[in-house]
Amino acid sequence: MFNIDLQSRIPVWEQIVKMIEKYIQLGILSPGDKLPSVRELTQQIGINPNTVQKAMNDLSMRGIIISVSGRGSFVSRDARAVLLEKAEKRLPELSTLISELLVSGVSVDEIKKTVQEAVEKTEE
Amino acid sequence: MFNIDLQSRIPVWEQIVKMIEKYIQLGILSPGDKLPSVRELTQQIGINPNTVQKAMNDLSMRGIIISVSGRGSFVSRDARAVLLEKAEKRLPELSTLISELLVSGVSVDEIKKTVQEAVEKTEE
Amino acid sequence: MFNIDLQSRIPVWEQIVKMIEKYIQLGILSPGDKLPSVRELTQQIGINPNTVQKAMNDLSMRGIIISVSGRGSFVSRDARAVLLEKAEKRLPELSTLISELLVSGVSVDEIKKTVQEAVEKTEE
Amino acid sequence: MFNIDLQSRIPVWEQIVKMIEKYIQLGILSPGDKLPSVRELTQQIGINPNTVQKAMNDLSMRGIIISVSGRGSFVSRDARAVLLEKAEKRLPELSTLISELLVSGVSVDEIKKTVQEAVEKTEE
DNA sequence: GTGGTCTAGACCACG
DNA sequence: GTGGTCTAGACCACG
């Protein structure tokens, strides 16, 4: 369930954050659902509790999950809204990436084809 | 001429690399042209010489520039080819980004609009 | 009748204590009145019996209620006096909060307005 | 310079956050100023580096400081604006506290006197 | 059992 | 030297 790459330049705690966000976006985790506990995730991923805790803390501070001491962590009501808002803010990244590719000599056709394929593949 | 963001999570040396690559791609620097010296760049950007050196080493190792000791660094003949090849390899990044945006709830229309605008803006 | 916020950082047992104190202060519960049993409260609030018990112990220890084994708990004679004494001790909290708000740049007017409104709203 | 109470129910990292916020609000630290390094604070306060790091991370995520790896942490441009915004959100706390005191039997006069004194003391 | 805090300390990339 | 990441593990209050 969790594919963590310890060699990646992306910190492990961020990878955990991304994974959980993805599960929420895909509807595998819905608002109100209980997340696995820090200890469970620790065992599943085979990693230190503090690293998991850091991921949970980040999600909690951004209002994506709500952590209740002694009870567990739960997907917040507006988790998806928060994630959508975050994604909207990433649209400039898309602009930048496309500019860079074009300037490097990648053709418009190639870019549009890649975009189209990504859209189709995701919508399945 | 050099917009370096010290607060960015991208290392300064990588930002310098990107800048020089961009100048080459835009034709501001052409094959055979002499690059400013490490000293000049250091002063212009107002940064540690080692950082500039690291950027130059990276460009040199990838065959984008050729450093001749005692004479300076020059844009290589096949600099643009190297950069195109690198860009082609970045197309999967585009796929990934689009998937992530879609999964987060960003609409296909919004993405296509952003892509179109970026293309038009760059082609001007 | 009991608004318990499980997500609050304030422990549930403290929230129960506050609620009961409030009922006494508002005269909904008067000296000599019998409190609902632990069982009743447990069901009403839908929470662990130990948590309710902990709240009762605290109230009992501070002389606000008197627990008679086998008979139940009753509001003590000097419950209100105890609560007033406790409140007087909280005046420094008020000072601290106001200082913090002022130092943060909140205007004196805004603070006085908030104070006035709170007074009027409570006195109704 | 740092009064940390290890016995307090407020976590040490939060106490550090509060301290730094206060210095910014009082103008002892101004936008652009460099904060002491994690290691310096660690020694000054006599506490574990991770605890200090946690405080810095919190300030950084809320946009109050900007941490530049390898260079240090700096007070952000809009640090004071962020702090003011946070304080405005705390005005309901003031309402609640006053209501609670009144309901407990504290007189309006006593409350207004305390408010007035706090204002005068802070404005000196 | 649960999340949260804290210590002690190693290691990393960057500048 | 700097911030950031991570491990290993203890302890706490709460429920």
Side-chain angles (χ1 to χ4, degrees):
Chain A
M1 194 171 173
F2 279 89
N3 300 328
I4 299 298
D5 176 7
L6 295 173
Q7 312 299 336
S8 167
R9 58 186 297 174
I10 298 168
V12 173
W13 69 266
E14 270 191 47
Q15 293 182 51
I16 298 171
V17 165
K18 276 196 170 183
M19 277 288 175
I20 293 175
E21 287 182 350
K22 197 168 183 180
Y23 285 139
I24 294 172
Q25 286 159 340
L26 293 174
I28 298 172
L29 286 173
S30 297
D33 282 1
K34 189 175 176 303
L35 294 169
S37 77
V38 172
R39 282 157 179 83
E40 279 170 341
L41 281 178
T42 298
Q43 285 193 322
Q44 269 182 44
I45 310 179
I47 215 164
N48 188 285
N50 286 327
T51 306
V52 176
Q53 189 74 279
K54 187 162 192 176
M56 302 301 250
N57 185 37
D58 181 76
L59 290 163
S60 174
M61 276 193 62
R62 291 189 292 124
I64 293 166
I65 66 170
I66 290 170
S67 295
V68 186
S69 204
R71 296 183 74 97
S73 297
F74 305 84
V75 178
S76 81
R77 283 187 190 221
D78 38 45
R80 289 208 184 97
V82 172
L83 291 173
L84 176 55
E85 196 182 2
K86 183 190 161 197
E88 302 276 6
K89 283 183 187 148
R90 289 184 68 195
L91 281 171
E93 276 181 48
L94 182 55
S95 294
T96 303
L97 179 54
I98 285 172
S99 286
E100 288 175 358
L101 295 177
L102 285 172
V103 166
S104 299
V106 177
S107 70
V108 174
D109 279 356
E110 217 166 347
I111 286 171
K112 291 209 168 164
K113 197 180 132 205
T114 304
V115 170
Q116 189 57 36
E117 281 172 3
V119 168
E120 283 165 11
K121 200 176 166 188
T122 311
E123 298 224 308
E124 274 168 20
Chain B
M1 194 170 174
F2 279 89
N3 299 328
I4 299 296
D5 178 7
L6 293 174
Q7 295 170 359
S8 165
R9 59 186 297 173
I10 299 167
V12 173
W13 70 266
E14 271 190 43
Q15 293 183 50
I16 298 171
V17 165
K18 273 198 170 185
M19 276 289 175
I20 293 176
E21 288 181 350
K22 198 169 181 181
Y23 286 139
I24 295 172
Q25 288 158 340
L26 292 172
I28 297 172
L29 286 172
S30 298
D33 283 2
K34 187 173 180 305
L35 293 169
S37 72
V38 171
R39 245 181 241 170
E40 284 168 337
L41 281 175
T42 298
Q43 287 187 324
Q44 270 183 44
I45 313 179
I47 209 106
N48 192 302
N50 293 331
T51 309
V52 177
Q53 192 58 261
K54 191 164 187 175
M56 301 303 249
N57 284 344
D58 182 74
L59 289 163
S60 176
M61 271 183 51
R62 290 190 293 125
I64 291 164
I65 66 173
I66 292 169
S67 298
V68 186
S69 80
R71 300 223 12 229
S73 298
F74 303 85
V75 178
S76 78
R77 293 210 178 168
D78 43 341
R80 288 207 185 100
V82 172
L83 291 173
L84 176 54
E85 197 181 4
K86 182 188 164 197
E88 302 276 5
K89 284 185 188 144
R90 289 184 69 196
L91 281 170
E93 275 181 48
L94 181 56
S95 293
T96 304
L97 179 53
I98 285 173
S99 286
E100 287 177 358
L101 295 177
L102 285 172
V103 166
S104 298
V106 177
S107 70
V108 174
D109 279 357
E110 217 165 348
I111 286 171
K112 292 210 168 162
K113 196 180 135 205
T114 303
V115 170
Q116 189 57 37
E117 282 173 2
V119 168
E120 284 166 9
K121 201 177 168 188
T122 311
E123 298 220 311
E124 274 168 18
Chain C
M1 193 172 173
F2 278 88
N3 299 329
I4 299 297
D5 178 6
L6 293 176
Q7 295 169 359
S8 165
R9 59 186 298 172
I10 299 167
V12 173
W13 69 266
E14 271 189 44
Q15 294 183 50
I16 298 171
V17 164
K18 273 198 168 185
M19 276 289 174
I20 294 175
E21 288 181 352
K22 199 169 181 180
Y23 286 138
I24 295 173
Q25 286 157 342
L26 292 172
I28 298 172
L29 286 172
S30 298
D33 282 2
K34 188 173 179 304
L35 292 169
S37 73
V38 170
R39 245 181 240 170
E40 283 168 338
L41 281 175
T42 298
Q43 287 188 324
Q44 269 183 46
I45 313 180
I47 208 107
N48 192 304
N50 293 331
T51 309
V52 176
Q53 192 58 262
K54 190 163 186 174
M56 301 303 249
N57 284 343
D58 181 75
L59 288 163
S60 177
M61 272 183 52
R62 290 190 292 123
I64 292 164
I65 65 172
I66 290 168
S67 298
V68 186
S69 80
R71 300 231 1 239
S73 299
F74 303 84
V75 177
S76 78
R77 294 210 178 169
D78 43 340
R80 287 207 185 99
V82 172
L83 292 174
L84 176 55
E85 195 182 4
K86 182 189 164 197
E88 302 276 6
K89 283 184 189 149
R90 290 184 68 196
L91 281 170
E93 276 181 48
L94 182 57
S95 294
T96 303
L97 178 53
I98 285 172
S99 285
E100 287 177 359
L101 294 177
L102 285 172
V103 166
S104 298
V106 176
S107 69
V108 174
D109 279 357
E110 217 165 347
I111 286 171
K112 292 211 167 160
K113 196 180 135 205
T114 303
V115 170
Q116 189 58 36
E117 283 171 2
V119 167
E120 284 166 9
K121 201 176 166 189
T122 310
E123 298 221 309
E124 274 168 19
Chain D
M1 194 172 174
F2 279 88
N3 301 328
I4 299 297
D5 177 7
L6 295 173
Q7 312 299 337
S8 166
R9 58 185 297 175
I10 299 168
V12 172
W13 70 267
E14 270 191 46
Q15 294 182 50
I16 298 171
V17 165
K18 276 197 170 181
M19 278 287 175
I20 293 175
E21 286 182 350
K22 198 168 183 181
Y23 285 140
I24 294 171
Q25 287 158 340
L26 294 174
I28 296 172
L29 286 173
S30 298
D33 282 2
K34 188 174 177 306
L35 295 169
S37 76
V38 172
R39 283 158 178 82
E40 280 171 341
L41 281 177
T42 298
Q43 286 193 323
Q44 271 183 42
I45 310 178
I47 214 163
N48 188 285
N50 286 328
T51 305
V52 176
Q53 188 74 279
K54 187 161 191 177
M56 302 301 249
N57 185 37
D58 181 76
L59 289 163
S60 175
M61 276 193 63
R62 289 190 291 124
I64 292 166
I65 67 171
I66 289 169
S67 295
V68 186
S69 204
R71 297 183 71 97
S73 297
F74 305 83
V75 178
S76 81
R77 281 184 191 227
D78 38 45
R80 290 208 183 97
V82 172
L83 291 172
L84 176 55
E85 196 182 3
K86 183 188 161 198
E88 301 276 6
K89 283 185 187 146
R90 289 184 68 196
L91 281 171
E93 276 182 48
L94 182 56
S95 295
T96 304
L97 178 53
I98 286 172
S99 286
E100 287 175 0
L101 294 177
L102 285 172
V103 166
S104 299
V106 177
S107 71
V108 175
D109 279 357
E110 216 166 349
I111 285 171
K112 292 209 167 165
K113 196 179 135 206
T114 303
V115 171
Q116 189 57 36
E117 282 172 2
V119 168
E120 283 165 9
K121 200 177 167 188
T122 310
E123 298 223 308
E124 275 167 20

